Each structure stands twice: as structure tokens, then as C-alpha cells.
Amino acid sequence: MSADRRPLSPHLQIYKPQLTSVLSISHRITGIALAVGTLLLTWWLLAAAAGPDAFAAVQGFLGSWLGYLILFGFSYALMYHLCAGIRHLFWDAGYGFELETVYKSGWATVIASAVLTVIAWAIAIASA
Amino acid sequence: MASKTMRSMRTPLARVRGLGSAKEGFHHWWMQRLTAIALVPLALWFVVSVAGMAGMDHAAAVTWIGSPAVTVLLVLLIAATFWHAQLGVQVVIEDYVHGEGCKLVALIAVKFAAVLLAVAGIVAVLRVSFGG
């Protein structure tokens, strides 16, 4: 049997989106977003090393509406990836594969990441 | 030998070339988990810290970055972040970029970018810390 005639599984759009599959791809998407977001972290650290003017420029950008939008997305992506990552670590250890548990941990990830993001912003608003 | 019934989904060519496990998969997998575990406390510490100093000026940032414990934790955070990030992005590239040339260029670019940004970040932290 030639390699190009081997059976293929159906393409992604055939499947109905489910909590499990949506959370799975979200883990990848937030991972990529966070990787891009490291540019911001590096810029912030380099600016701190460069001096007051450079640092004020970064802080000014982060304080703009676009900066807040990026920071909010960054913080939610981080909290989501962190919570979903912990869920993955439990799977790696061999726990939580029962269908009911998978859905429970899935919703726990959604809720915990939202709560952690709100807590982070509550701290920021309280100290600003 | 060639038989009418297929015994394996691997093509004979792939088997001949010896493609498959190069015995390094576990190391990649393990380092991704190790850096993930390290990043749980490091990332939470970083977010709580910078949120607690929202809108800080340069003097406050320098004082914070320069305190010994913060310097150590920031260097660890940067190292773990970029190590973890390049492992993850590597897997995504390997999954979605199918042209061998594009894949190779993308992998090299990601590895180089990760090292460049990590070194830049660590040097920045150390310059602030040592008052350079």
C-alpha cells in the first residue's frame, strides 16, 4: 500500500467543539501568545537597565489603552496556561482521565484562571 | 518482505531511513515539565509583585529588581520562561509547519530568539542589580 493512499482521519471542522478540545487548543494558543509576550517582559527589563527615560516610555505605553488591553490579555493567557498546565501535570502523573473528572477539571481550569486574573487586577488597582 | 496485508502504518522507506525515536523525546518532555513546575511559583510571584507595584517609577523598579532575592528569582524566571517557551513553540512548529526548509528555518529562528531574549533579560537584571 503506497503511503499516499493510507486512510486519514477527518479534518478538524468535522468535529463539534467540546470543552475538552477547546481547552486543549486554547492551551497551545495561550502558549504561543505568552511566547510572543516575552518580548514585552524583555523590553521592560532592558528599559529598567537603560534608565529613567526608557523606563518611563515603557510604563507610558503600558498605561495607554492598548497597553492595558495587552496586559489584560497577557495576564489572562498566563493564568489560563498556568491552570491548564497544572491539569496537564496531573494527567502526566496518571490522574484524572475519567470522563467526568476531565470535565470537572476543565471547568475548574476555566473558573480558576478567571478568578486568578481578577485577583491580579484587584491587587494592581488597589496599589495603583 | 512485501506482503498483501499491511503489518505497520510505517512506510518501508521510513523504516529504512531509521526515522522515528532518536531517544531524545523523553528529555524534551521532561525539561518541559520541570520548567513548568518551576514556573508555577515563579510566575505567580512575578504577577503578584508587579501588580502590587502597578505604575511604579524607575527608582522603585531599580530598588525592587536590585534586591538580592528578587534578582535571583528574576534570573530563574527568565531562564525557566525561555527554556519552556522554546520547547513549546518547537512542538507547535513541528506539528504545523510541513515544509522541511521552512520548519528548519523556523526552529533555528525560535531557538536563537529564545537565547537572545533570555540573555538580554538576564543581563538587564544583573546590570540593574550590580548598578552597572
Side-chain angles (χ1 to χ4, degrees), chain A residues 11-44:
Chain A
H11 280 295
L12 206 56
Q13 66 272 21
I14 295 295
Y15 299 103
K16 178 186 165 199
Q18 300 171 85
L19 182 70
T20 44
S21 59
V22 170
L23 295 189
S24 174
I25 194 62
S26 299
H27 194 58
R28 283 211 150 169
I29 293 168
T30 52
I32 294 296
L34 290 167
V36 175
T38 58
L39 288 168
L40 190 63
L41 173 69
T42 309
W43 182 30
W44 190 79

Side-chain angles (χ1 to χ4, degrees), chain A residues 61-76:
Chain A
F61 171 72
L62 293 178
S64 69
W65 69 267
L66 181 61
Y68 271 111
L69 190 67
I70 292 171
L71 280 180
F72 184 79
F74 198 159
S75 60
Y76 181 71

Side-chain angles (χ1 to χ4, degrees), chain A residues 1 3 6 25 28 32 35 38-39 41-42 44-46 48-49 51-52 55 59 78-79 82 89 92 120 123-124 127-128, chain B residues 6 9 11 29 33 37 46-47 51-52 54-58 61 65 78 81-82 89 91-92 95-96 117 120 124-125 128:
Chain A
M1 189 176 189
R6 285 183 291 177
I25 194 62
R28 283 211 150 169
I32 294 296
T38 58
L39 288 168
L41 173 69
T42 309
W44 190 79
L45 291 169
L46 287 173
F55 193 75
Q59 293 294 75
L78 180 60
M79 293 311 177
L82 191 145
L89 289 174
D92 291 335
I123 294 171
S127 37
Chain B
M6 191 173 60
M9 290 302 283
T11 63
W29 183 91
R33 270 68 190 170
I37 293 166
F46 181 75
V47 168
M56 71 182 107
D57 60 9
H58 184 251
I65 294 170
I78 294 163
T81 294
F82 284 101
V89 175
V91 173
V92 172
D95 280 357
Y96 301 133
L117 292 173
V125 168
V128 171

Side-chain angles (χ1 to χ4, degrees), chain B residues 9 25 33 39 46 55 67-68 70 96 100-101 103 107 109-110 115 128:
Chain B
M9 290 302 283
R33 270 68 190 170
L39 281 168
F46 181 75
S67 69
V70 173
Y96 301 133
E100 287 302 320
K103 188 193 293 184
L107 287 174
V110 163
V115 174
V128 171

Side-chain angles (χ1 to χ4, degrees), chain B residues 13-104:
Chain B
L13 183 61
R15 209 174 300 128
V16 166
R17 277 179 175 161
L19 296 178
S21 172
K23 312 300 181 199
E24 288 182 354
F26 177 72
H27 184 248
H28 184 288
W29 183 91
W30 176 242
M31 291 315 296
Q32 200 172 27
R33 270 68 190 170
L34 209 58
T35 50
I37 293 166
L39 281 168
V40 171
L42 287 170
L44 287 174
W45 160 77
F46 181 75
V47 168
V48 169
S49 300
V50 293
M53 297 185 299
M56 71 182 107
D57 60 9
H58 184 251
V62 165
T63 305
W64 182 67
I65 294 170
S67 69
V70 173
T71 301
V72 170
L73 290 175
L74 279 177
V75 170
L76 291 175
L77 173 74
I78 294 163
T81 294
F82 284 101
W83 200 332
H84 187 82
Q86 57 90 20
L87 289 174
V89 175
Q90 178 194 335
V91 173
V92 172
I93 289 169
E94 286 169 349
D95 280 357
Y96 301 133
V97 181
H98 298 309
E100 287 302 320
C102 287
K103 188 193 293 184
L104 187 62

